[in-house]
Amino acid sequence: MIEARSYHDDGRILDLVSDEISDHVSTHDSLLWVDIADPTADELHHVAEEFSLHPLAMEGALQSGERPTFDRFPEHTFALTYDAHLCKVTLFLGDRWVVTVRSTNPEGMVWEPAPIRERLSTDPGHRSVAHLMYLIFDNLVDGHEDRAEELRAEVEAVEDRVLAGDSGPGEGLEPDVLRLRRSLLEIRRVVAPTRDLITELRRGLNGAMDPETDLRFADVHDHILRVVEQIDTQRELLGNAFEVHLAIMSNQMNLVMKKLTAWGSILFGSALISGIYGMNFTNMPELDWQIGYPMALGMMVVLSLVLHRIFRKRGWL
């Protein structure tokens, strides 16, 4: 579905149908924003013809799994990025026009630009490509900050479980750690290149950007840097928490092995005595003793008590 809107310098806002787009492409007193959500091949072909979009840029808009990137073509600038839910957002920038192509993620979610339209409509003094780019990336980076904060809370929950000892077998800690590590890696693969993309975009729009918009872009760049640092910190904290979990599990296993070894040693003394007197050789003088049986039992009890006391004193039991 194609949504086109023309923002005029005199404050007028015109909603356009697809056939009216060509009449506003070359105007110099307005900002044209064309937005396409999950476009069909015909819709993309129509927009590509209207704005003379480069085939390589169109290829990047159609392919899935592309990393965030920024390229300059003779007729326009191309940028590709993702929101916090990994929904792809492709942007084509001209002198007085912007085309955004939004794609759904595997969960069926799509980036929603309604807040940007509202901000742009209520601020008629800043209707330029540079300002629109600031609004878009400010919205995207805010989403990444919220997602990074959610992951930080989940990492802290894992740390609390580890420190509280609620991380033994069957507690489900390992799947949670692997899921968190995958989520942190996925968002970093998007956020880290977006940091460079914003730098290049800010440099490319420098000539057409007023000082206030440039300051706002700098603030967005600072935010994306903090997001990258926070993600890297959470990845390190999660790795440390998992190492502590493995150390605790190893220590618990060592304690179990020490107890099993101690009890095995205690039972080994009794088994040795019973094994010797169970061989039933003919020339065993103790077999004819009347006190032989009680003596053997007594030796087993005494040896077991001595070994139990020794192991208990060493902390093995």
Side-chain angles (χ1 to χ4, degrees):
M1 178 179 179
I2 299 178
E3 294 185 27
R5 183 172 290 184
S6 178
Y7 299 87
H8 289 260
D9 295 341
D10 57 8
R12 291 179 300 138
I13 301 176
L14 302 179
D15 291 323
L16 310 175
V17 296
S18 58
D19 293 337
E20 298 175 333
I21 293 176
S22 57
D23 298 332
H24 294 76
V25 172
S26 301
T27 57
H28 299 284
D29 61 343
S30 65
L31 169 65
L32 177 61
W33 181 10
V34 178
D35 178 68
I36 317 174
D38 282 332
T40 63
D42 292 338
E43 289 175 336
L44 274 179
H45 180 71
H46 174 69
V47 172
E49 286 187 340
E50 293 288 353
F51 295 95
S52 300
L53 302 181
H54 198 279
L56 289 178
M58 294 300 299
E59 183 179 344
L62 291 172
Q63 290 181 347
S64 59
E66 295 289 312
R67 70 187 302 272
T69 186
F70 177 86
D71 290 307
R72 295 184 180 89
F73 294 97
E75 301 295 332
H76 62 84
T77 300
F78 170 78
L80 186 152
T81 186
Y82 295 84
D83 72 350
H85 301 288
L86 303 182
C87 302
K88 187 170 75 171
V89 181
T90 308
L91 305 106
F92 303 89
L93 317 177
D95 292 334
R96 295 291 296 179
W97 56 264
V98 173
V99 176
T100 55
V101 180
R102 299 179 286 131
S103 305
T104 56
N105 64 5
E107 288 75 28
M109 304 176 68
V110 65
W111 174 64
E112 181 53 59
I116 300 172
R117 294 195 187 102
E118 183 177 354
R119 292 177 64 182
L120 194 62
S121 300
T122 56
D123 191 5
H126 294 87
R127 289 176 177 172
S128 64
V129 172
H131 188 71
L132 179 55
M133 287 301 99
Y134 155 71
L135 293 178
I136 291 176
F137 279 93
D138 183 53
N139 178 273
L140 293 172
V141 172
D142 284 345
H144 289 308
E145 284 187 303
D146 293 340
R147 180 56 179 156
E149 187 65 22
E150 293 175 1
L151 293 174
R152 183 192 64 80
E154 293 185 35
V155 171
E156 289 183 352
V158 169
E159 290 179 322
D160 292 339
R161 289 172 60 185
V162 172
L163 295 178
D166 185 21
S167 58
E171 301 293 343
L173 183 68
E174 290 83 357
D176 290 342
V177 170
L178 292 177
R179 177 183 58 81
L180 274 175
R181 292 183 68 175
R182 186 181 299 110
S183 298
L184 288 169
L185 182 60
E186 287 176 347
I187 190 173
R188 195 188 189 286
R189 285 176 177 172
V190 169
V191 172
T194 301
R195 171 191 55 190
D196 302 329
L197 189 156
I198 293 176
T199 301
E200 292 295 328
L201 182 62
R202 184 183 174 195
R203 183 182 296 115
L205 295 173
N206 188 38
M209 193 184 308
D210 59 274
E212 183 179 353
T213 303
D214 185 55
L215 288 175
R216 294 182 180 183
F217 246 116
D219 182 66
V220 172
H221 187 260
D222 291 339
H223 283 213
I224 199 70
L225 288 178
R226 287 200 296 269
V227 172
V228 174
E229 292 174 357
Q230 184 176 1
I231 292 173
D232 290 339
T233 300
Q234 298 311 314
R235 290 179 64 193
E236 185 175 353
L237 290 175
L238 184 63
N240 293 339
F242 192 64
E243 290 178 0
V244 171
H245 165 68
L246 294 179
I248 292 175
M249 294 293 296
S250 178
N251 186 51
Q252 292 176 346
M253 184 63 68
N254 289 337
L255 292 176
V256 172
M257 293 302 298
K258 287 167 66 174
K259 290 183 179 181
L260 291 176
T261 301
W263 283 111
S265 300
I266 291 172
L267 295 176
F268 176 74
S270 300
L272 178 63
I273 294 174
S274 63
I276 292 175
Y277 286 100
M279 291 187 293
N280 294 323
F281 286 114
T282 303
N283 297 321
M284 291 183 67
E286 295 86 353
L287 295 178
D288 297 329
W289 289 4
Q290 291 184 355
I291 62 171
Y293 180 67
M295 184 189 71
L297 292 179
M299 291 172 61
M300 294 180 190
V301 171
V302 171
L303 182 58
S304 297
L305 290 176
V306 170
L307 291 174
H308 184 274
R309 182 177 179 83
I310 292 173
F311 291 132
R312 188 68 177 267
K313 188 175 181 180
R314 293 186 177 182
W316 287 27
L317 292 176

